[in-house]
Amino acid sequence: MCIFCQIASGEIPTEFLYESAKVLAFKDFLPQAPVHILIIPRAHFENTAELAAVDSETTGELFGAARELATSLGLDGYRITINTGASAGQSVLHAHLHLLGGRPFAWPPG
Ligand code: 5GP
Ligand code: ZN
């Protein structure tokens, strides 16, 4: 089972900041900003493109969860990052969205 499936199943005890039938959110264990939250589908998909191909509702809920979390945390600006594929820096092959906030972000990204 992949590491995020182990988190989703409860095998790795994790505090969830957002939880629904299809979606979970939890803190990244190597935060790149004061707020760094991972938002994932409970079901295993290799990346968000694979998820979006078959389940647009859950794909949309990932963004809805990001909006709710950003609002509840009082973020006035934030960045959502989705690394897809090794060349884009994806290291965990379970679909996820990064919600980053609490500091300014540069553009273009690295
Ligand atoms: P990616 O590089 O695939 O876009 O992002 C994977 C993210 O998952 C990284 O930011 C990494 O720090 C985080 N991560 C990897 N393993 C774990 C884990 O077991 N627990 C948590 N909370 N975060 C993890
Ligand atoms: Zn998985």
Side-chain angles (χ1 to χ4, degrees), residues 59-108:
T59 305
E61 191 185 338
L62 298 177
F63 289 91
R67 184 191 62 80
E68 277 187 31
L69 286 161
T71 302
S72 67
L73 292 167
L75 299 179
D76 57 352
Y78 56 88
R79 181 169 290 182
I80 290 170
T81 298
I82 301 172
N83 300 321
T84 304
S87 64
Q90 186 180 3
S91 60
V92 175
L93 298 183
H94 180 127
H96 58 280
L97 178 159
H98 298 256
L99 172 64
L100 297 149
R103 68 167 172 84
F105 295 99
W107 194 263

Side-chain angles (χ1 to χ4, degrees), residues 3 6-16 26-27:
I3 195 83
Q6 290 176 56
I7 288 172
S9 72
E11 202 174 304
I12 299 175
T14 303
E15 182 195 353
F16 296 124
F26 52 91
K27 286 184 182 166

